[in-house]
Amino acid sequence: MTATTDYESGGRAAHPAARSDRVFGTLTLAAAVIVLLTLLGVFVSLVMGAWPAFHEFGAKFLVTEKWNPVTEKFGALAPLYGTVITSVIAMLIAVPVGLGIAIFLTETCPRPLRRPLGIAIELLAGIPSIIYGIWGLFVFAPFMQKVVQPALIATLGKLPLIGDLFAGPPYGIGILTAGLILAMMVLPFIASLARDIFLTVPDMLRESAYGLGMTRWEVNRHIVIPHVRTALVGGVMLALGRALGETMAVTFVIGNAHRITTSILQPGTTISAAIANEFTEATTPLYTASLVALGLVLFILTFIVLAAAQWMLRRMKAKAGV
């Protein structure tokens, strides 16, 4: 009788906890469903808004360079090209520099400087993009025009194979300038994230490697980075997504020219810059639909990048036996 009473009282005591767990599970599920519904709603609205453009131009919209609002002939190839090239330039610069900063902060930086430098990097990540754009237009672009681009044209521009990448007059603004501004914007994000990731590596692994006689380079190359490589790949892909969708900073310094050139010193445009510049000027339904179609292309491109990141992470985890 006593055992039964204790069991019943225990069941009654456990009932509120079970009910709170069910409520918590329902709330988290609702949050996840809201995110999915929002994503689906954005996709559906973009498809509906872009349908007139795809109905008019078909698949040629994706491979046509011409963009003429007067004759209402539109193509997404030039903005798509500019988006990809500027993002590639940004990541080629930001990833190695960001990882180097993270390794310095976690391995070789004097302890009194670690916190101030870490805070400074996080503050750089919080600067609005329009500030980067204004600084890039009035300070960085003139520096590129007077110093950097003439030097590139005089040296690398005369080399075979890669000379065409640095041909043309030094405008200051252009694809290279936009890529460098993007690199400055995603660099603090990569450095801060990589620093936090490196701090998760157990000290025992580092101490064991140093005890075996490894140098700092060997410890980071063979111990630290392989231990957290999946998280690093995920962080880099998130930074790439930020670079693909950046608008205001790129709009200020890229030149906003709907054309494809082999030289990265020449003006170009990106999808987000084209939308920001021309959406208020779209006076016809087809013009508006073409700009919305550019947004749909950017949405799909970003989705492909993030999906590829997830696939890479799964492959890396499978090889690691996780």
Side-chain angles (χ1 to χ4, degrees):
M1 183 68 178
T2 303
T4 305
T5 304
D6 292 341
Y7 174 79
E8 291 176 353
S9 62
R12 287 194 299 268
H15 180 68
R19 183 167 55 188
S20 63
D21 284 344
R22 287 195 298 269
V23 172
F24 177 74
T26 303
L27 291 176
T28 54
L29 176 61
V33 171
I34 289 174
V35 171
L36 293 177
L37 291 178
T38 303
L39 185 65
L40 180 62
V42 171
F43 177 74
V44 171
S45 63
L46 288 175
V47 171
M48 294 176 62
W51 175 249
F54 285 109
H55 179 72
E56 177 70 21
F57 305 114
K60 292 182 179 179
F61 179 79
L62 300 176
V63 295
T64 301
E65 179 183 353
K66 188 175 182 180
W67 186 274
N68 193 337
V70 177
T71 60
E72 291 198 327
K73 299 296 182 182
F74 302 104
L77 187 59
L80 182 60
Y81 170 83
T83 300
V84 173
I85 297 301
T86 54
S87 298
V88 169
I89 293 173
M91 300 309 293
L92 287 177
I93 297 172
V95 171
V97 176
L99 293 181
I101 293 174
I103 292 174
F104 171 75
L105 290 176
T106 56
E107 297 291 336
T108 62
C109 180
R111 288 190 176 275
L113 295 178
R114 288 185 181 181
R115 185 172 179 81
L117 290 178
I119 294 175
I121 292 173
E122 293 172 356
L123 289 176
L124 285 175
I127 295 177
S129 61
I130 193 170
I131 304 300
Y132 281 103
I134 294 174
W135 176 81
L137 180 63
F138 291 106
V139 178
F140 191 64
F143 174 74
M144 292 287 293
Q145 183 182 23
K146 297 176 182 179
V147 179
V148 178
Q149 290 186 355
L152 293 176
I153 295 171
T155 54
L156 299 179
K158 296 181 179 180
L159 297 178
L161 299 179
I162 65 171
D164 291 339
L165 294 175
F166 306 95
Y171 290 109
I173 59 175
I175 293 177
L176 177 61
T177 304
L180 293 175
I181 291 294
L182 278 179
M184 296 178 192
M185 294 182 64
V186 301
L187 174 61
F189 182 82
I190 294 176
S192 179
L193 187 61
R195 181 202 60 184
D196 294 338
I197 292 173
F198 288 152
L199 290 175
T200 63
V201 178
D203 292 335
M204 184 180 298
L205 292 179
R206 291 188 177 92
E207 294 170 358
S208 300
Y210 286 129
L212 292 174
M214 286 187 174
T215 62
R216 285 180 174 176
W217 161 254
E218 291 173 336
V219 170
N220 285 279
R221 172 66 179 84
H222 299 290
I223 304 297
V224 176
I225 293 179
H227 186 76
V228 296
R229 60 179 179 271
T230 55
L232 286 177
V233 171
V236 168
M237 288 301 177
L238 289 176
L240 176 58
R242 165 74 185 275
L244 289 171
E246 179 53 43
T247 304
M248 295 310 301
V250 174
T251 303
F252 274 91
V253 298
I254 198 170
N256 302 304
H258 283 270
R259 63 185 182 186
I260 297 176
T261 60
T262 55
S263 175
I264 61 176
L265 304 183
Q266 303 306 302
T269 190
T270 63
I271 293 176
S272 55
I275 296 174
N277 275 324
E278 303 182 32
F279 205 85
T280 57
E281 302 175 0
T283 56
T284 64
L286 185 59
Y287 194 179
T288 304
S290 298
L291 292 174
V292 177
L294 287 180
L296 178 61
V297 171
L298 181 59
F299 182 91
I300 295 175
L301 178 62
T302 306
F303 179 81
I304 291 174
V305 169
L306 296 180
Q310 292 296 322
W311 178 78
M312 290 177 59
L313 291 176
R314 290 182 181 179
R315 293 268 299 179
M316 295 172 69
K317 289 180 179 179
K319 290 183 178 180
V322 178

